[in-house]
Amino acid sequence: MQTKFAKRVTTASRSFTRTILDLTAQSDIISFAGGLPDADLFPRKAIQKHAMHLFEHHDNRLFQYSNASGVLALKSEIAKQYPNTTHHEIMLTNGSQQGLDLVCKTFLDARDCIVVEDPSYLAALGLFHLYDVDIEAVTLHPDGIDTKGLGHVFKTKKPKFFYTIPIFQNPTGYSYSLENKREVVRLAKEYRVILLEDSPYEALRYEGVAQSSFAQLLPELTINLGTFSKTLAPDFRIGWIKAPKEIISALTLSKESTDLQNSKFFQTICAMMIQNGELHKHTQTLIAHYRHKRDIMVRALKDAFEEDVDMVIPEGGMFLWVTFKGCKDSMALFEKGIEKGVAFVPGSVFFADKRTSSFARLNYTNSTPEEIEVGVKRLYDAYAEIRA
Ligand SMILES: Cc1ncc(COP(=O)(O)O)c(C=O)c1O
């Protein structure tokens, strides 16, 4: 029997994320591919302590249905991160990935236009594809978006929103300068385009100074997405949306029809860890570990590849975006790398047109320092065999 899937599903290409996860499940492969936090650092003891506290101090209503927008204590804590914001402008989501989906569900009709950075986050590109929209990709530079290109698309295509990851972007690790953000804000105001600002890595700043977010610079036109996946644990599935109240109301309706609500139990633990300062302290620990791992990977790459490697060293986040100069197609390097026992994500998959490139995204947070050293050596062996 032929299964009658919707067209949007049958035209979707097999997710490269799944290919990577399948390949890297093999234990002999060192993986720089996924965007995973270091599981050894998950704050297990603190989580256990708060879970026990909840069991001891709450009755069974803790596990009852509640409202779609999330636990008040957590929304109130999140609201404090933004100027002049109350919990009415915050809703909780099943990770920021659901935030993205709810925005699409609430704003997009088929054949609408949206704008993305080129390159951009793979799972967002896959999601947008499912909504059958026209995707305009504008070049991302190390200090921000090509504002000339963005202005042209805003003017000629009238997009519903511009999807942007302005801090420690995935895949590049790039961050927008304040000047670049100001120009984006000017364009968004002129053409009335919503800025869909996705900021999962913001809290993982190792050095440098944080610039104002779009949520601060243009609150009336910004939908800001955050998550505790990178600071607490992805399995908690707690993300949030900060937006003007009327947008939060519409998004809450969409969430109700999707999954009614998320777990109050985990949201309450998260709120307690913010209130007693544990999450902040834990984030400082993560920063120290991840900075160290970034430095090890940068040095290992420079030692092995010498002049053949190029990168902008990010001030935070979880990725290095690297060019291997003697390799025109990093997909070929990926395949050779798998033979040698190392994985990364080839740059082409992050570009809207999937063009061939010498870029590679390397994650350093989920490997030990020793694995980073060995993995980079394997990568160089692979490179030496295919180098032009
Ligand atoms: C840019 C970006 N947005 C959203 C997500 C989704 O995160 P989560 O749904 O776990 O909050 C990720 C995860 O890697 C990401 O890199």
Side-chain angles (χ1 to χ4, degrees), residues 95-97 100 121 163 165 170 198 200-201 227 229-230 237:
S96 48
Q97 188 69 28
L100 283 172
Y121 169 48
Y163 173 60
I165 313 163
N170 180 1
D198 190 8
Y201 303 102
T227 181
S229 287
K230 316 297 175 185
R237 305 309 302 137

Side-chain angles (χ1 to χ4, degrees), residues 100-282:
L100 283 172
D101 191 40
L102 293 177
V103 170
C104 291
K105 192 174 168 183
T106 311
F107 282 86
L108 297 180
D109 292 310
R111 315 282 15 119
D112 273 348
C113 174
I114 61 163
V115 188
V116 299
E117 295 159 343
D118 205 23
S120 185
Y121 169 48
L122 192 52
L125 294 176
L127 172 73
F128 298 149
H129 179 83
L130 289 176
Y131 279 88
D132 198 16
V133 287
D134 295 330
I135 302 176
E136 291 288 330
V138 176
T139 305
L140 182 69
H141 299 295
D143 63 349
I145 198 78
D146 169 12
T147 46
K148 220 169 150 210
L150 191 71
H152 179 71
V153 175
F154 280 10
K155 188 173 177 183
T156 55
K157 305 280 178 170
K158 309 214 175 326
K160 278 271 173 79
F161 60 72
F162 167 39
Y163 173 60
T164 167
I165 313 163
I167 304 173
F168 314 138
Q169 200 245 16
N170 180 1
T172 60
Y174 297 164
S175 295
Y176 287 37
S177 67
L178 187 57
E179 197 191 353
N180 190 262
K181 278 187 181 165
R182 289 213 167 104
E183 182 58 10
V184 173
V185 164
R186 192 188 68 71
L187 292 168
K189 269 188 183 159
E190 181 174 348
Y191 297 106
R192 303 302 296 168
V193 176
I194 287 175
L195 301 177
L196 178 53
E197 177 178 45
D198 190 8
S199 252
Y201 303 102
E202 189 176 341
L204 296 178
R205 172 175 288 284
Y206 319 150
E207 60 228 0
V209 183
Q211 307 289 359
S212 301
S213 63
F214 286 124
Q216 288 167 320
L217 295 169
L218 190 61
E220 66 275 23
L221 272 180
T222 299
I223 301 176
N224 176 276
L225 306 180
T227 181
F228 292 104
S229 287
K230 316 297 175 185
T231 47
L232 180 49
D235 187 65
F236 271 51
R237 305 309 302 137
I238 307 177
W240 70 87
I241 303 177
K242 188 264 176 196
K245 270 187 224 156
E246 60 279 15
I247 293 183
I248 290 293
S249 301
L251 291 168
T252 307
L253 271 181
S254 293
K255 179 160 171 68
E256 271 168 15
S257 67
T258 297
D259 62 359
L260 299 180
Q261 66 166 93
N262 295 127
S263 160
K264 288 201 295 301
F265 185 73
F266 289 114
Q267 291 174 12
T268 308
I269 292 178
C270 185
M272 288 157 86
M273 288 184 65
I274 298 175
Q275 283 159 350
N276 74 2
E278 263 168 342
L279 192 61
H280 176 74
K281 224 173 128 202
H282 177 65

Side-chain angles (χ1 to χ4, degrees), residues 350-371:
F350 301 104
F351 290 103
D353 61 2
K354 307 294 173 217
R355 64 179 170 273
T356 302
S357 89
S358 3
F359 285 110
R361 191 194 75 176
L362 306 184
N363 165 266
Y364 46 84
T365 55
N366 189 38
S367 304
T368 63
E370 297 70 36
E371 285 168 340

